[in-house]
């Protein structure tokens, strides 16, 4: 009986540890996501400014403009996914138990 009790206690302890690790990892992923979104937004802003300056100076401005567009799209996608996760957190997918 003692072995069963010890095994059950050990299993509960391990499940609690894994649950804490999952919560911690999810929080870290969200934090990194927001940091990456901010970095991409900054890079998009800087590249757009460089494209505008190059255009005004009569130099080739396509590369910084494409880079700015790519960073802006990536940042917007990341923010959308982060916000959507926050809104739908706690809901279950229909049809999935």
């Amino acid at each position: 009986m003692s072995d069963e009790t010890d095994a059950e206690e050990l299993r509960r302890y391990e499940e609690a540890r894994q649950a804490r690790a999952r919560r911690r990892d999810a929080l870290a992923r969200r934090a990194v996501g927001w940091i990456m979104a901010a970095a991409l937004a900054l890079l998009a802003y800087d590249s757009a400014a460089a494209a505008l300056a190059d255009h005004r100076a009569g130099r080739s401005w396509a590369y910084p403009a494409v880079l700015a567009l790519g960073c802006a799209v990536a940042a917007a996608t990341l923010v959308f996914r982060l916000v959507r996760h926050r809104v739908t957190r706690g809901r279950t997918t229909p049809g999935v138990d």
Side-chain angles (χ1 to χ4, degrees):
M1 193 71 161
S2 176
D3 291 338
E4 290 176 12
T5 307
D6 291 342
E8 181 66 24
E9 183 179 340
L10 188 59
R11 186 188 59 78
R12 281 195 309 267
Y13 174 77
E14 183 63 23
E15 286 176 357
R17 189 187 66 77
Q18 288 178 354
R20 286 191 306 272
R22 281 192 300 271
R23 285 192 302 269
R24 181 190 63 233
D25 292 348
L27 179 63
R29 280 191 299 273
R30 285 192 300 273
V32 168
W34 284 110
I35 291 168
M36 287 301 300
L40 285 167
L42 179 64
L43 185 57
Y45 173 79
D46 188 51
S47 295
L52 185 60
D54 286 349
H55 181 65
R56 287 181 178 160
R59 296 187 300 260
S60 175
W61 54 273
Y63 177 75
V66 169
L67 184 63
L69 181 63
C71 289
V73 167
T77 302
L78 193 53
V79 167
F80 173 75
R81 289 182 63 153
L82 288 165
V83 169
R84 184 182 67 175
H85 177 267
R86 184 178 181 111
V87 169
T88 61
R89 181 180 52 201
R91 296 184 187 166
T92 59
T93 304
V96 178
D97 292 328

